[in-house]
Amino acid sequence: MGPIAALERGLFMALNGHPAGAPVRAAVRFFLHISAHGVCWLVLFGIVFLFGGRRGRRVALTGVLAVLSAQFLAAVILRGLVQRADPSVQYTSVLLMQSFAVPFSFPASRAAASFAALPFLGKGSRFATLVFRIFAVLIAYAGVYSGTHFPSDELGGALVGLFAAGAMVWILGNPYHRLSAPRRRRRRRRRAAAV
């Protein structure tokens, strides 16, 4: 076993099922249930779409497409290509919450959806941004705690999510910048009229 594999094994064993206790397991189950298939993020984007005005609709559309593409890329394409066995197959002493078991573990699709949503939520509010980041990290932690993913699976999922978000911004444009273009034109006109 190489040093990287030993480090990951140690980190996995430190996080899997720790801290113990019924309240922690209930919280882990909650995070795993609401994050399945990116549902919690899709609901948040639905709220942004309904109440966010014109910019909110752009943000919601870009965010939903980022979450769905991250889910597809992680759960369908990359898992089928990599086919990494989940921790319960590789280690004997694993706390495995059976209802959340996955056939292959790399990359974690819940982390992919979570980190694909992050660039589009909480803009303009440091508190909201912090809350969404903590929420995404807790979802990733829940995957390791439940024994369905290694820490590197969660990291890989996070990278897939950020890639998907960047790809959607590249394809559709930044939803925050597009709306400000008319404002820039108005400012230029005012400056030209003043001169």
Side-chain angles (χ1 to χ4, degrees):
M1 182 183 296
I4 295 175
L7 177 67
E8 178 164 63
R9 184 185 193 315
L11 186 59
F12 174 76
M13 290 302 181
L15 297 175
N16 177 241
H18 298 99
V24 178
R25 288 192 185 183
V28 166
R29 279 194 175 84
F30 169 77
F31 281 112
L32 291 173
H33 276 298
I34 66 167
S35 63
H37 309 295
V39 169
C40 59
W41 305 109
L42 297 175
V43 168
L44 280 170
F45 284 125
I47 293 167
V48 170
F49 185 86
L50 291 174
F51 301 108
R54 188 170 151 197
R55 178 182 286 180
R57 288 190 291 274
R58 286 187 180 138
V59 168
L61 175 65
T62 310
V64 164
L65 290 174
V67 167
L68 293 177
S69 62
Q71 280 280 108
F72 181 76
L73 187 60
V76 177
I77 295 175
L78 291 174
R79 273 197 200 153
L81 288 173
V82 177
Q83 295 188 0
R84 180 183 191 184
D86 69 83
S88 66
V89 172
Q90 296 188 30
Y91 305 135
T92 54
S93 58
V94 171
L95 165 72
L96 180 64
M97 297 179 162
Q98 287 294 337
S99 57
F100 301 105
V102 291
F104 300 116
S105 69
F106 184 89
S109 58
R110 285 180 172 93
S114 299
F115 283 84
L118 283 184
F120 307 105
L121 293 171
K123 284 276 192 195
S125 169
R126 288 182 183 175
F127 177 74
T129 302
L130 179 65
V131 167
F132 290 129
R133 285 180 182 170
I134 290 171
F135 195 68
V137 168
L138 287 174
I139 288 171
Y141 167 72
V144 179
Y145 184 98
S146 65
T148 56
H149 294 288
F150 292 102
S152 61
D153 299 337
E154 300 295 344
L155 180 62
L159 292 175
V160 167
L162 293 173
F163 171 79
M168 285 304 118
V169 168
W170 182 71
I171 292 167
L172 301 175
N174 190 328
Y176 292 101
H177 290 166
R178 261 201 226 166
L179 192 63
S180 63
R183 289 183 190 158
R184 274 190 242 129
R185 274 184 249 142
R186 281 193 296 258
R187 283 184 194 156
R188 286 183 198 142
R189 285 186 203 139
R190 284 186 208 139
R191 287 181 193 154
V195 173

